[in-house]
Amino acid sequence: MAGLTFEQLCKDHTAQIKKKLGIGGIASETSSWFTKATDEHEGAQIDMLIDRRDRIINVCEMKFSEHPFAIDKDCDLSLRNTIGTFKTATKTRKACQLVMVTTYGVKQNMYSGIVQGEVTIDDLFES
């Protein structure tokens, strides 16, 4: 339940997410994305996509946690598979950058290098 509430909070504060990422002035469209499994790709869902006019897509993964979120081996594989499925299913030629939106940030470890942008709950309430 907390995860869904956090996800909705994030979606209600898209402007603050864009500001934190430094892309507030770039024209973009925001949506979520889902695909069912086919013969060509796995099923996958993405919490929020920020499809930017500068040919970059921010793939936003939202995670509620009571501590800094630690990406482990399974999570790393899941994130990579999701982005790969998105690229295959949509046939996009745009660059995809993973953004983690978390309550207390991402714990630095051997898997955290996949993250190209980070937003915390405090960032959502910056004006």
Side-chain angles (χ1 to χ4, degrees):
M1 186 68 163
L4 292 175
T5 302
F6 180 69
E7 197 172 308
Q8 186 58 52
L9 177 73
C10 294
K11 289 177 180 178
D12 291 342
H13 290 84
T14 303
Q16 288 83 357
I17 291 172
K18 290 179 183 181
K19 180 180 176 185
K20 172 65 178 183
L21 296 173
I23 60 169
I26 298 173
S28 62
E29 293 182 16
T30 304
S31 63
S32 56
W33 181 83
F34 170 82
T35 187
K36 293 182 179 180
T38 68
D39 291 339
E40 297 175 8
H41 57 76
E42 299 177 15
Q45 71 95 30
I46 296 174
D47 298 329
M48 179 188 291
L49 291 173
I50 303 173
D51 190 349
R52 299 162 31 184
R53 199 53 72 75
D54 62 357
R55 303 198 45 78
I56 296 172
I57 298 173
N58 293 109
V59 177
C60 301
E61 181 69 21
M62 298 164 190
K63 295 290 186 188
F64 177 85
S65 177
E66 293 184 11
H67 306 283
F69 184 77
I71 298 173
D72 61 15
K73 183 178 181 178
D74 290 340
C75 181
D76 176 76
L77 183 61
S78 176
L79 291 167
R80 290 178 190 278
N81 285 342
T82 296
I83 293 170
T85 297
F86 172 74
K87 287 179 175 181
T88 301
T90 63
K91 297 178 176 39
T92 186
R93 293 179 167 259
K94 297 179 181 181
C96 293
Q97 297 179 343
L98 177 64
V99 174
M100 294 297 293
V101 185
T102 64
T103 41
Y104 299 108
V106 175
K107 182 177 180 177
Q108 297 301 303
N109 65 21
M110 65 187 289
Y111 299 105
S112 61
I114 188 175
V115 178
Q116 294 172 296
E118 192 174 334
V119 179
T120 66
I121 195 166
D122 290 340
D123 297 323
L124 300 181
F125 296 100
E126 300 256 329
S127 49

